[in-house]
Amino acid sequence: MSRAGRILIVLAGIMGADGVMLAAASAHGADAARLASASSMLLFHACAVLGAVALAERGIVHTKIGIAAAFGFVLAASLFAGDLTLRQYAGHGLFPMAAPTGGTLLIASWLALAVSAAWPRR
């Protein structure tokens, strides 16, 4: 397995753990809908990272594009969830448009994964 693949698996594990913690916080906190959304983004995309790595490592998709999509999932879900979590606890976001930027990057990462499947392997 490539070094990038291992790093992505570690990051997916951290995303999953953070997603579970945010789910618990949203279940026990008052007016914590932002945390539920943040949790969902982390949990869903942790699985997407694992899937993209598995596809890339097995040569089912174009490796470099698939790995780039997986890193995109990590960065984008972290931006999205981080912004919502900071808004919940600190009353302000990471930076203006952080959550929409993360959401847009998630869309781009999913499209990159689709391209990686359509791109011919050598």
Side-chain angles (χ1 to χ4, degrees):
M1 171 161 291
S2 70
R3 183 172 189 221
R6 289 185 186 281
I7 290 169
L8 283 163
I9 292 169
V10 168
L11 292 172
I14 293 167
M15 288 170 65
D18 288 344
V20 171
M21 287 186 278
L22 287 172
S26 74
H28 298 289
D31 191 31
R34 286 181 177 141
L35 298 181
S37 294
S39 169
S40 294
M41 282 299 156
L42 289 171
L43 289 170
F44 295 151
H45 289 92
C47 296
V49 169
L50 296 175
V53 168
L55 292 169
E57 291 288 333
R58 284 159 183 76
I60 297 169
V61 300
H62 189 280
T63 304
K64 289 182 181 179
I65 299 172
I67 293 295
F71 275 112
F73 291 145
V74 171
L75 176 62
S78 298
L79 268 177
F80 186 92
D83 188 64
L84 293 181
T85 303
L86 196 57
R87 285 181 190 283
Q88 179 70 31
Y89 290 120
H92 61 82
L94 288 171
F95 56 85
M97 300 295 290
T101 300
T104 302
L105 184 54
L106 284 170
I107 294 166
S109 297
W110 280 109
L111 292 172
L113 187 60
V115 167
S116 74
W119 197 279
R121 289 187 294 153
R122 294 181 200 172

